[in-house]
Amino acid sequence: MRLTRRDFLATTAAAAMLPRMASAAKTPGFPQDFLWGASTSAYQIEGALETDGRGPSIWDTFAAQGRIQDGSTATQACDHYHRFREDVALMRAAHFNAYRFSVAWPRIVPTGSGAVNAKGLDFYDRLVDELLKAGIRPLACLYHWDMPQALQDQGGWQSRAMAGPFADYARAVTRRLGDRVKDWMMLNEPNVVAIFGHGLTEHAPGLGLGEMGVLRALHHQNLAQGAALRAIRAEHGDARLGTVTSVQPCRPETPSDSDRAAAIRWDAVWNRVAVDGLLRGAFPDVLADKMADIVQPGDLAAIKFPVDLLGINYYSPNTMRHAPGRMFEVGWGKAPTDRFTAMGWPVQPDGLYEVLMEFKNLYGNPATFVAENGAAYDDVVSANGQVHDSERVRYLADHIAELRRALADGANVRGYLAWSLLDNFEWAFGLSKRFGLVRVEYDSQKRIPKDSYRWFAEFVKQVRGL
Ligand code: FCB
């Protein structure tokens, strides 16, 4: 597929953004090797849930329990398992030089432990070769939420025993792909997994265990991550290893002591347990008492690891208020903006600057990349068959401007990957929320590049000097 500049300019909203971004692109700030692309995850796009020996995952169970809001399933999703070549072509046409995908654990170890399924590995082998052929650097994530059901049946992240199976899985994948894939991310958003899947009931496995359930799931993911990082490092000296976390500034709704304390507590749970554990081998003070019931001698040393690259997912900040009786006694106040996405998430681009600067100032400026950033909107296909998603264009442009500001102020950011390449299965929301640069018509599996895709493609082209 070829996109001409004329195609691009034909999209009015995108064209309106171009002059501003084009001139911005000429200002120094984005290094030549900066990574530009998109992120996806296996469960959200692949479909083919029963193909080539894949085993069941906790999200299959969750869907079968009728817990997806629109009643949809990921059985087909974007059928990426069969259409990955077309999807890589879309990335290539958009001038991407990087792509983050996830490997489905239940394809590789269908029963959670023991036998490795070679056919599952074959799929990622084909995908990686296709990416490399297109000049796109693959960044592979090992756990984007699809735990094999067999492991959940043994306790899942509530159990310390996941570290062994996770490290074995990591070894199997990197032995097969490590000659070509050099960037390995361990987990995606362990905080979201712990909070929504273990503390609350919105995500699989939907346990609703409250505070201690959250902290246990966080700690055990940290331990599994530490084990996998060491297992991979032992065999792949040249790999760039890291993980991906969701980082959201936690701002108090009012200056009251109680709202400020709530913001500090939620910052600890949401942002710090995963990152401080990994980078500092420590936990936030405010959680020390609770963590003491979970952490065993030696754990902190097993969690800390000198990672090479940290992925940061940023969507919006949290406006926090004190809410007695709720988990961690926190609630959400009104965000100071009138801009909201179709998820109801406030659009506050300055939060991205804040987050990136925080990594510089609090953690010694490690190498980071924006591993996810994007927005769901209620897209409409116009009479001419196009999707004029000007709000998404604006969202991306505003966030990239904040990224540039952070870079100019010395943040060690190495890339920006939009969420997401395609509309996809948005977890508990099913197929009803569309985050893609490319629309997917689920019945026909037709891909329709949106204005945002054209805008981003043109921007990347300019900024890469192509
Ligand atoms: C992130 C997830 C990703 C997607 C986006 C919208 O929390 O990592 O899979 O659902 O949100």
Side-chain angles (χ1 to χ4, degrees):
M1 185 182 129
R2 280 195 74 88
L3 281 167
T4 63
R5 189 176 161 79
R6 198 135 131 271
D7 290 337
F8 172 72
L9 290 172
T11 63
T12 44
M17 295 300 302
L18 184 61
R20 178 172 148 211
M21 295 311 290
S23 61
K26 288 197 195 92
T27 61
F30 289 118
Q32 207 33 55
D33 60 352
F34 202 78
L35 302 177
W36 294 103
S39 279
T40 63
S41 87
Y43 196 71
Q44 293 178 275
I45 63 168
E46 285 176 0
L49 299 183
E50 290 180 3
T51 305
D52 291 341
R54 177 188 179 276
S57 82
I58 56 174
W59 275 93
D60 303 311
T61 308
F62 198 69
Q65 290 167 345
R67 295 167 84 171
I68 306 302
Q69 287 177 27
D70 65 354
S72 60
T73 68
T75 311
Q76 196 181 26
C78 309
D79 195 31
H80 174 77
Y81 196 81
H82 299 111
R83 296 168 195 264
F84 67 93
R85 290 198 171 84
E86 184 183 345
D87 296 335
V88 173
L90 282 163
M91 294 188 240
R92 176 185 215 154
H95 315 290
F96 290 179
N97 60 1
Y99 171 57
R100 179 178 72 119
F101 62 95
S102 81
V103 178
W105 192 350
R107 286 196 196 283
I108 312 304
V109 196
T111 52
S113 44
V116 169
N117 176 29
K119 284 191 167 166
L121 285 167
D122 291 345
F123 168 68
Y124 297 101
D125 219 66
R126 294 192 290 276
L127 172 64
V128 163
D129 285 347
E130 193 71 13
L131 288 164
L132 293 175
K133 231 166 52 190
I136 298 170
R137 174 163 148 191
L139 292 93
C141 182
L142 291 174
Y143 184 67
H144 201 129
W145 303 2
D146 47 356
M147 172 174 273
Q149 182 60 42
L151 291 177
Q152 186 59 44
D153 296 342
Q154 295 163 37
W157 297 122
Q158 288 301 306
S159 158
R160 292 175 65 87
M162 296 300 110
F166 188 62
D168 289 344
Y169 155 64
R171 233 178 255 116
V173 176
T174 52
R175 277 180 188 164
R176 173 68 92 86
L177 303 175
D179 57 335
R180 285 152 295 149
V181 178
K182 299 299 171 189
D183 298 274
W184 293 98
M185 301 293 118
M186 302 301 109
L187 306 176
N188 177 72
E189 302 188 345
N191 49 352
V192 173
V193 168
I195 291 162
F196 293 103
H198 291 254
L200 305 170
T201 56
E202 273 102 323
H203 283 188
L207 302 180
L209 298 172
E211 294 181 5
M212 292 311 285
V214 171
L215 297 179
R216 229 178 271 115
L218 268 169
H219 186 60
H220 297 155
Q221 287 178 92
N222 274 346
L223 284 171
Q225 172 171 273
L229 284 164
R230 285 168 176 80
I232 301 174
R233 179 54 82 223
E235 298 182 358
H236 303 269
D238 64 342
R240 289 177 291 266
L241 304 182
T243 202
V244 177
T245 63
S246 163
V247 189
Q248 295 192 301
C250 294
R251 301 166 174 171
E253 185 180 27
T254 73
S256 71
D257 287 350
S258 60
D259 281 358
R260 289 225 305 266
I264 290 170
R265 272 197 308 283
W266 194 244
D267 177 66
V269 176
W270 187 276
N271 295 320
R272 307 289 153 215
V273 177
V275 180
D276 285 13
L278 178 64
L279 298 184
R280 294 177 166 162
F283 294 120
D285 291 346
V286 68
L287 294 172
D289 287 355
K290 291 182 169 127
M291 293 303 291
D293 287 345
I294 300 171
V295 179
Q296 297 186 8
D299 281 1
L300 289 175
I303 288 170
K304 188 176 175 197
F305 191 85
V307 285
D308 305 298
L309 193 57
L310 267 176
I312 295 173
N313 295 351
Y314 174 80
Y315 290 91
S316 57
N318 286 307
T319 302
M320 306 308 303
R321 63 161 66 138
H322 181 220
R326 304 256 319 248
M327 203 168 72
F328 297 103
E329 304 212 329
V330 297
W332 277 257
K334 195 182 148 1
T337 177
D338 293 332
R339 279 174 79 187
F340 293 88
T341 70
M343 300 295 282
W345 298 348
V347 180
Q348 295 176 267
D350 64 331
L352 179 58
Y353 175 83
E354 183 175 331
V355 159
L356 295 173
M357 294 310 287
E358 214 173 69
F359 275 81
K360 172 174 185 253
N361 297 326
L362 296 182
Y363 297 105
N365 215 11
T368 62
F369 68 107
V370 176
E372 290 182 24
N373 177 240
Y377 287 105
D378 295 326
D379 297 326
V380 174
V381 182
S382 318
N384 64 359
Q386 303 280 310
V387 179
H388 300 305
D389 56 337
S390 53
E391 279 297 292
R392 188 174 289 105
V393 171
R394 200 171 146 218
Y395 182 101
L396 296 173
D398 289 350
H399 284 80
I400 292 171
E402 292 294 323
L403 165 71
R404 181 192 303 278
R405 191 155 73 88
L407 256 176
D409 288 346
N412 190 8
V413 200
R414 308 293 181 89
Y416 176 90
L417 307 185
W419 183 271
S420 183
L421 177 69
L422 305 168
D423 289 343
N424 60 47
F425 182 81
E426 178 48 35
W427 308 113
F429 293 93
L431 299 171
S432 66
K433 300 290 181 202
R434 295 180 176 271
F435 274 89
L437 299 170
V438 175
R439 180 182 176 90
V440 176
E441 297 287 13
Y442 293 111
D443 290 343
S444 63
Q445 287 297 331
K446 188 173 169 213
R447 271 75 168 138
I448 305 176
K450 304 178 191 176
D451 282 4
S452 56
Y453 170 92
R454 295 199 170 81
W455 175 82
F456 191 46
E458 180 65 23
F459 175 75
V460 172
K461 183 172 170 218
Q462 293 198 19
V463 89
R464 291 185 63 203
L466 301 175

